[in-house]
Amino acid sequence: MSTHDETDVATRATALLGRELHAHGVTLRITEVEAYGGIHDPASHAYTRTARSEIMYGPPWRLYCYRSYGIHWCANVVTGPTEQAAAVLLRAGEVVDGLDLARSRRPGVPDVRLARGPGNLAQALGITGDDLGSELLDETGAVHLGPERPPVGRVSAGPRVGVSRAADVPWRFWVTGDPTVSAYRRSPKAPQASE
DNA sequence: TAGGCGATGACCT
DNA sequence: GGTCATCGCCTAC
């Protein structure tokens, strides 16, 4: 993959930070994302083209949902470019509207942790496989993005959480110092970091 | 068709 | 800090 492609993927991912996501009565301000480069990224589901990853080969700005470890749902934004099948995993955010609804979906959890971690984020927003393929720029849809926002002031970058391949690629981005960001945990299967 | 594994989270010490 | 539940996908027979 060319350097230009890598920059592109990172730019599209960081552009989602600070942007709002509306889903099933809850509004979330995105504070943490991970970029997945698609066909050239060994850590991406699109690295092998299957029925599950097919949606990433389609038009951008659609929702890619997948089930992780059998129990949790994770939400991704297909960012394109289409031929690259790139997507961005939404890892954490701050609930800014529909707080009571989010709390009812995550009983007993402090507000700051309502949408911390990709599985928890999807749960707080009520996102499941039924939302697969949602048009995220369609304001009438049950799941959609808010308008573009100016870039967030301070953004940190680091390796992606829990991936066993390409574990040292710094494609996790978060709003520096934000309390809703999840903790980093390296995959137990990932090779030793080469420092 | 069967076996292994994972872009996780919760609970334990 | 560490361990483990849990099941849909993917790959190899």
Side-chain angles (χ1 to χ4, degrees):
Chain A
M1 144 162 56
S2 75
T3 304
H4 174 76
D5 288 338
E6 293 179 18
T7 306
D8 214 32
V9 166
T11 302
R12 288 162 193 267
T14 52
L16 283 169
L17 289 174
R19 197 164 174 180
E20 289 183 347
L21 177 69
H22 305 266
H24 304 289
V26 174
T27 301
L28 191 84
R29 185 178 61 88
I30 299 169
T31 59
E32 181 188 1
V33 297
E34 277 176 8
Y36 286 86
I39 54 175
H40 299 299
D41 179 4
S44 171
H45 289 169
Y47 188 65
T48 51
R49 186 168 186 163
T50 65
R52 179 175 63 159
S53 61
E54 188 63 32
I55 180 145
M56 288 190 275
Y57 290 81
W61 303 115
R62 293 208 292 207
L63 191 68
Y64 166 46
C65 299
Y66 68 93
R67 219 203 259 275
S68 178
Y69 289 80
I71 1 180
H72 313 285
W73 287 104
C74 297
N76 296 248
V77 177
V78 177
T79 57
T82 301
E83 64 277 10
Q84 198 176 324
V88 172
L89 170 68
L90 306 179
R91 285 201 56 89
E94 176 191 3
V95 176
V96 293
D97 197 21
L99 202 49
D100 289 338
L101 195 51
R103 285 173 182 149
S104 72
R105 290 176 178 140
R106 305 256 304 134
V109 174
D111 287 353
V112 75
R113 293 188 198 168
L114 281 176
R116 187 165 87 168
N120 293 333
L121 183 148
Q123 189 180 353
L125 269 56
I127 291 176
T128 68
D130 291 341
D131 298 305
L132 178 68
S134 295
E135 297 283 352
L136 294 174
L137 298 185
D138 177 7
E139 293 183 11
T140 64
V143 182
H144 64 93
L145 284 165
E148 285 193 59
R149 297 196 149 224
V152 176
R154 292 198 301 160
V155 174
S156 300
R160 293 172 288 186
V161 176
V163 302
S164 57
R165 294 186 288 186
D168 299 318
V169 179
W171 273 358
R172 170 175 176 250
F173 306 97
W174 65 94
V175 178
T176 305
D178 195 286
T180 62
V181 170
S182 61
Y184 174 63
R185 184 171 51 171
R186 191 178 180 86
S187 166
K189 302 275 288 185
Q192 193 78 26
S194 52
E195 299 187 25

